[in-house]
Amino acid sequence: LFEHDNPPMTLSFKQSGDTIFLLGETFNEIGGTEYLKQIHRKVKGLPPQLTLKTEKTLQDTLINLIEHELVNSAHDLSDGGLLVAIIESLDENKLGVEISLSKNHSLRLDSLLFGESQSRVLVSVAPDKIKAFEKATTLLPVQRIGQVRASHNVKVNVDDVPILVASADVLLDLYDNAIGKIMGHA
């Protein structure tokens, strides 16, 4: 039972102009990931570490953000990592995104884009709620990574280098119909 009458939170971006934030920290953890399985055809390595205290802090913070209506969407970064979560978050409302990521010199690009480090959530925040959001997230690492856009395009830069520039329709079609395309049915 819910204590409040808030509508359920969904993963889809809701409105153009919202700012996209990443809650949590990304590490070089590729073992046991979908990326390693799908791209390198390997099912091996240690899975990403989980620290229960960090996860509890994230979950408590996320519940608070949702209850106080400070986020418009929330998506965990498990299967497939950040880039997959961004694409999945486009689905419902036909919006686009402009994302600017920075990787420190020790973080691998594949870890940044596809790593499944635990205790991370992608959220979108309305412009008038950013200050309250920032006050409510002081116990977590938080990065402002982009904007939701009205155009149905996806632009992802890493250290000012374009990594992905595509129509959201094309990306969603690839995502939604991948099995059918592999099987020759789509």
Side-chain angles (χ1 to χ4, degrees):
L1 293 175
F2 291 100
E3 294 179 24
H4 302 281
D5 293 329
N6 293 18
M9 180 56 53
T10 65
L11 57 84
S12 296
F13 296 133
K14 305 293 184 297
Q15 62 189 18
S16 176
D18 280 1
T19 299
I20 302 168
F21 291 90
L22 174 60
L23 304 177
E25 210 169 346
T26 305
F27 300 101
N28 283 320
E29 297 176 311
I30 294 295
T33 63
E34 282 298 310
Y35 165 77
L36 190 64
K37 180 179 171 186
Q38 297 300 323
I39 301 301
H40 297 287
R41 305 285 188 240
K42 294 180 181 179
V43 180
K44 66 184 231 175
L46 294 174
Q49 290 186 357
L50 174 64
T51 304
L52 293 178
K53 183 179 179 186
T54 303
E55 183 67 24
K56 176 147 179 38
T57 300
L58 173 73
Q59 294 302 325
D60 290 346
T61 300
L62 192 56
I63 289 167
N64 181 53
L65 292 169
I66 293 168
E67 285 179 345
H68 289 92
E69 300 180 350
L70 297 178
V71 294
N72 287 335
S73 66
H75 191 327
D76 69 301
L77 272 67
S78 55
D79 291 342
L82 178 61
L83 196 55
V84 171
I86 290 168
I87 293 168
E88 289 174 342
S89 297
L90 296 169
D91 201 19
E92 187 176 293
N93 293 310
K94 301 297 181 194
L95 295 165
V97 293
E98 223 170 278
I99 303 290
S100 291
L101 303 170
S102 293
K103 72 175 193 66
N104 62 42
H105 59 279
S106 64
L107 187 64
R108 293 169 35 157
L109 181 61
D110 56 359
S111 292
L112 176 66
L113 298 176
F114 302 108
E116 296 174 8
S117 294
Q118 298 296 291
S119 304
R120 296 182 308 150
V121 176
L122 183 71
V123 297
S124 62
V125 180
D128 63 329
K129 306 239 175 141
I130 290 175
K131 285 185 181 181
F133 168 83
E134 289 173 338
K135 278 185 173 181
T137 56
T138 57
L139 298 176
L140 296 169
V142 178
Q143 282 184 281
R144 184 183 298 226
I145 64 167
Q147 292 283 143
V148 179
R149 298 289 187 213
S151 71
H152 203 47
N153 296 312
V154 175
K155 296 178 185 175
V156 178
N157 292 334
V158 176
D159 295 327
D160 297 321
V161 176
I163 298 297
L164 176 64
V165 178
S167 159
D169 291 326
V170 170
L171 294 172
L172 288 167
D173 179 58
L174 289 169
Y175 178 83
D176 291 335
N177 299 305
I179 294 173
K181 289 178 189 281
I182 290 169
M183 303 298 288
H185 299 289

